[in-house]
Amino acid sequence: MTDTTGTPRPGTSDASPAGTSSAPAAPAAPGAPGTPRPAAAPPAPHAAPAAALLRTAAELGASAPLKGARAVVMTMGALHEGHATLIRAARAAAGPDGQVVVTVFVNPLQFGEAADLDRYPRTLDADLAVAAAAGADAVFAPSVDEVYPGGEPQVRISAGPMGERLEGASRPGHFDGMLTVVAKLLHLTRPDVAFFGQKDAQQLALIRRMVRDLNFPVEIAGVETVREPDGLALSSRNRFLDAEERHTALALSKALFAARDRLAAQQALHARAQTTSATTGRAAALTALGEARAAADTQAVALARPVDGPSAVRAAALLILDDAAAAQPPLVLDYLALVDPADFTEVPDDRTTGEAILAVAARVGRTRLIDNIPLTFGATT
């Protein structure tokens, strides 16, 4: 599980169960994908009835709605506006007769070191207030013994090859632990729909794959990443950044936005070039399109070819990240990857159409952060 649906590792990484990518019939979050938007503070706790605190599977079972759907949001606590957005989407899906359950469980299987597990913030009282204000009916906050009676499970879910890439390569075993607890919580909560944040795109993709491959009777819905006004993706990890580190960390979202804008400009130029006369010279055609500077260089024609899309997208992002690597404090890049959302393999340079995810992970100081943005190749503007 992450900050909004995956498992973050305090001071080392950013991920936990409760948020990831798009889904059928998922309520759309306001704003264009990847666009920074204000992270409004959750409504005051007194604006909504208190959410019931449930500690055991028996209490959870007794609370099941007599009618209507049950929607679940899985978290590791330390709730912020990103989680609140998920809860509001769950509330809309469940409707007035349904039930929204928020799980708060710090999953030990997702942490590589005991010190990271101990440092993870526990803020249950505040979490109850945030959950209630966003529309939750109940918060299921079980103990480790309740979830794993008799100790760590001997049988676990394997994330397979997709779980060994990107985040899986940086955090071996993380996705096995995440899928195991998500499977357990899906069995315990028995939701009709479960909501996860798109910020943890690889986690979301793996959860969807598990649900499909193992025939879980649940819909998995993704909700758009929530960002702070400066563009930084909301995360419980952000609290570990000082002012200088936060300034450096902004390079992650800036790199993603630069790549998105580069792709949009390239596709717009290509579309406009298609409308010019086939008999017009290259330089003249580009000049007629208002690309006077580009017309001076025949490379401008290459920019109009969609075949250069993936390499241009990567280059635009790396330009920002390379500058941040020289900042003080520096950004230490873990990976920048343009991947197919189906299996998280790298998109080839000759890709001209289809969906992709540009994902980035880096460390600033002692804090590891992740972010991503969806892209569409071959789209017309």
Side-chain angles (χ1 to χ4, degrees):
M1 304 196 300
T2 64
D3 291 336
T4 50
T5 179
T7 299
R9 298 172 61 186
T12 57
S13 68
D14 183 29
S16 70
T20 321
S21 210
S22 63
T35 301
R37 44 180 190 159
H46 65 265
L53 176 59
L54 310 175
R55 292 289 197 174
T56 68
E59 292 174 343
L60 181 65
S63 75
L66 296 178
K67 61 179 180 177
R70 173 181 272 182
V72 166
V73 174
M74 296 185 189
T75 84
M76 295 217 305
L79 302 189
H80 50 62
E81 178 60 19
H83 298 104
T85 299
L86 291 169
I87 297 167
R88 287 192 289 269
R91 180 77 272 164
D97 295 329
Q99 182 190 45
V100 174
V101 175
V102 176
T103 69
V104 174
F105 180 66
V106 182
N107 179 31
L109 302 188
Q110 293 176 235
F111 289 84
E113 299 178 10
D116 288 342
L117 176 62
D118 292 340
R119 286 187 61 213
Y120 193 84
R122 273 85 164 171
T123 58
L124 184 57
D125 289 343
D127 293 344
L128 285 166
V130 171
D137 298 300
V139 170
F140 178 50
S143 66
V144 173
D145 288 340
E146 183 71 18
V147 177
Y148 302 124
E152 290 191 1
Q154 297 300 300
V155 177
R156 307 188 187 193
I157 296 204
S158 169
M162 182 163 50
E164 297 172 358
R165 300 173 186 135
L166 301 187
E167 284 300 292
S170 297
R171 307 166 66 191
H174 165 73
F175 284 127
D176 292 354
M178 179 276 293
L179 289 178
T180 298
V181 79
V182 168
K184 290 272 292 187
L185 291 173
L186 286 175
H187 285 311
L188 288 169
T189 59
R190 301 185 182 277
D192 297 286
V193 57
F195 287 80
F196 296 86
Q198 292 179 354
K199 177 176 156 292
D200 300 292
Q202 190 174 5
Q203 172 182 276
L204 177 59
L206 282 164
I207 291 170
R208 283 190 168 136
R209 186 67 189 231
M210 176 185 73
V211 164
R212 185 183 74 183
D213 287 354
L214 302 184
N215 298 102
F216 279 70
V218 61
E219 175 188 352
I220 302 299
V223 176
E224 180 185 331
T225 299
V226 179
R227 299 184 180 276
E228 301 200 42
D230 58 9
L232 190 66
L234 275 173
S235 165
S236 61
R237 298 279 69 73
N238 294 352
R239 71 183 68 196
F240 297 116
L241 299 169
D242 63 27
E244 291 77 17
E245 290 171 341
R246 184 186 177 89
H247 181 74
T248 296
L250 292 176
L252 273 69
S253 56
K254 288 179 180 178
L256 296 178
F257 300 152
R260 177 197 60 192
D261 294 345
R262 180 68 187 85
L263 178 61
Q266 179 173 288
Q267 292 183 150
L269 178 59
H270 175 69
R272 292 159 63 192
Q274 297 294 93
T275 66
T276 63
S277 169
T279 61
T280 305
R282 285 183 173 184
L286 290 171
T287 300
L289 290 171
E291 307 291 344
R293 184 181 67 176
D297 191 337
T298 56
Q299 277 191 320
V301 178
L303 295 177
R305 291 189 296 139
V307 71
D308 294 325
S311 59
V313 162
R314 294 184 183 97
L318 281 172
L319 192 63
I320 304 295
L321 297 172
D322 287 346
D323 284 345
Q328 288 300 326
L331 180 143
V332 181
L333 184 64
D334 185 347
Y335 62 76
L336 174 74
L338 184 67
V339 298
D340 187 320
D343 57 10
F344 274 69
T345 56
E346 281 283 345
V347 169
D349 285 340
D350 61 356
R351 168 73 61 85
T352 59
T353 60
E355 303 298 319
I357 291 174
L358 184 62
V360 63
R363 189 182 304 277
V364 182
R366 296 183 60 213
T367 304
R368 186 173 180 276
L369 300 170
I370 63 172
D371 202 351
N372 72 83
I373 193 170
L375 298 173
T376 302
F377 289 88
T380 57
T381 56

